[in-house]
Each structure stands twice: as C-alpha cells, then as structure tokens.
Amino acid sequence: MDFDYSIIDTVLKEWGYGASSIIPVLHAVQERYHYIPRAAFPYIAKQVDVGEARVYGVATFYENFSLEAKGRFIIRICDGTACHVRKSTPILEALRTELGLSVQKRTSDDLNFTVETVSCLGACGLAPVLMVNDEVHASMTEEKVHALIGELKTEVATEVVHA
C-alpha cells in the first residue's frame, strides 16, 4: 500500500520547510495519525533538507512522540505510589480484559483504544486515577472501568452511525 503524503505536505506548508520546523511537523503528523508512521521520516527529512537520522532522532528522543499506532482513546492509568496503594493494578487488569489487551498488546485492533501505564499523573489526591486523552477520571474502581469503557464504545458506535 502506498503512503499518502498529502497530509504531510499540508503540515509542511503550515510549519515550513526548515530544520527548525521538525518538532511542530512531527507533532502535527502525530496528531493526525495518532503516531508517526515510519514512511514519514524519509519524506520529512528530504523536505526539510536534513538527514533522516536527525528527524528519527528527534522523534525517538521525546517521550511524547510515538512510532507505534495508538488508539483514538488513549487511556493512561497512573501507577504512582498513591494509585498503586489504592489498587490501580486491578483497574489496569479490568481495562485490559474489557478491551482484549495485554502487556504486549496495548492498542485494540480497531485502533479505538490504547492502554498505557504512567509513573505519575500528578493527581495523587484523586487516586486511583486515569486519563482518557486529556480528561481525568478520579477514584476509579473496576466497576467504573466497565461503565467508562461502555460509554466510550457507545461514543464510537454513535460516530460510526453518523459518519
């Protein structure tokens, strides 16, 4: 399958073709695809006139960039001390079971959900806590996980019907 570079072309027109535009271009590409496709690296490098290794190096240096496909809903569950003590592990397992995911398989096949653990979300007073994209969900329980995933699946199904 051929990669469609038109999205990257649009991003480059917005951010420019210089080496200083690498980070915003990578952010914009990731925003569109939910990750940075491997095919994007040589293309971006050529367009901004730098080596492919430099573009790849920027993408792999910053933790915010991902080279793996991620779901529309990125669920980050905190496993910091406060959340761990308040039983974040059973919540993580409930998420994985509900979505058919595992330690090795973090993204659903339909690319709707990705589950990640993070060291700390900085919301210890809300423990155990998780985030769905940018929305915080406090005092999570296994029962709340089932309800949350049900709501998100309904949202996906509703959008498919209206699409």
Side-chain angles (χ1 to χ4, degrees):
M1 184 168 116
D2 293 327
F3 188 82
D4 178 7
Y5 295 101
S6 63
I7 291 169
I8 297 174
D9 287 335
T10 301
V11 168
L12 286 164
K13 286 178 186 168
E14 179 180 351
W15 291 101
Y17 292 84
S20 64
S21 66
I22 292 173
I23 290 177
V25 166
L26 290 175
H27 273 291
V29 168
Q30 180 167 284
E31 187 176 301
R32 169 60 178 88
Y33 292 102
H34 303 289
Y35 78 112
I36 303 170
R38 294 213 181 263
F41 291 104
Y43 191 77
I44 292 170
K46 184 176 179 183
Q47 298 301 315
V48 300
D49 196 28
V50 299
E52 183 179 341
R54 183 168 172 194
V55 177
Y56 186 81
V58 169
T60 56
F61 177 80
Y62 294 104
E63 192 171 318
N64 197 32
F65 291 126
S66 176
L67 280 63
E68 294 178 29
K70 291 191 176 189
R72 176 174 168 242
F73 295 109
I74 299 173
I75 302 170
R76 293 184 174 94
I77 182 161
C78 182
D79 197 33
T81 302
C83 289
H84 190 81
V85 168
R86 292 186 177 178
K87 309 224 182 275
S88 61
T89 301
I91 295 167
L92 173 62
E93 290 307 315
L95 281 167
R96 287 178 175 158
T97 299
E98 190 80 23
L99 298 169
L101 301 176
S102 65
V103 174
Q104 294 80 23
K105 182 180 178 186
R106 299 181 322 152
T107 299
S108 61
D109 292 335
D110 59 9
L111 294 178
N112 283 321
F113 300 96
T114 295
V115 174
E116 301 175 337
T117 57
V118 295
S119 299
C120 184
L121 288 174
C124 300
L126 305 175
V129 64
L130 63 77
M131 292 182 71
V132 178
N133 297 339
D134 294 327
E135 185 177 330
V136 175
H137 294 267
S139 304
M140 290 301 295
T141 63
E142 292 173 62
E143 293 75 25
K144 285 183 173 180
V145 164
H146 297 298
L148 175 63
I149 297 303
E151 289 172 22
L152 296 175
K153 285 182 176 178
T154 299
E155 185 176 328
V156 169
T158 302
E159 289 176 0
V160 170
V161 169
H162 289 78

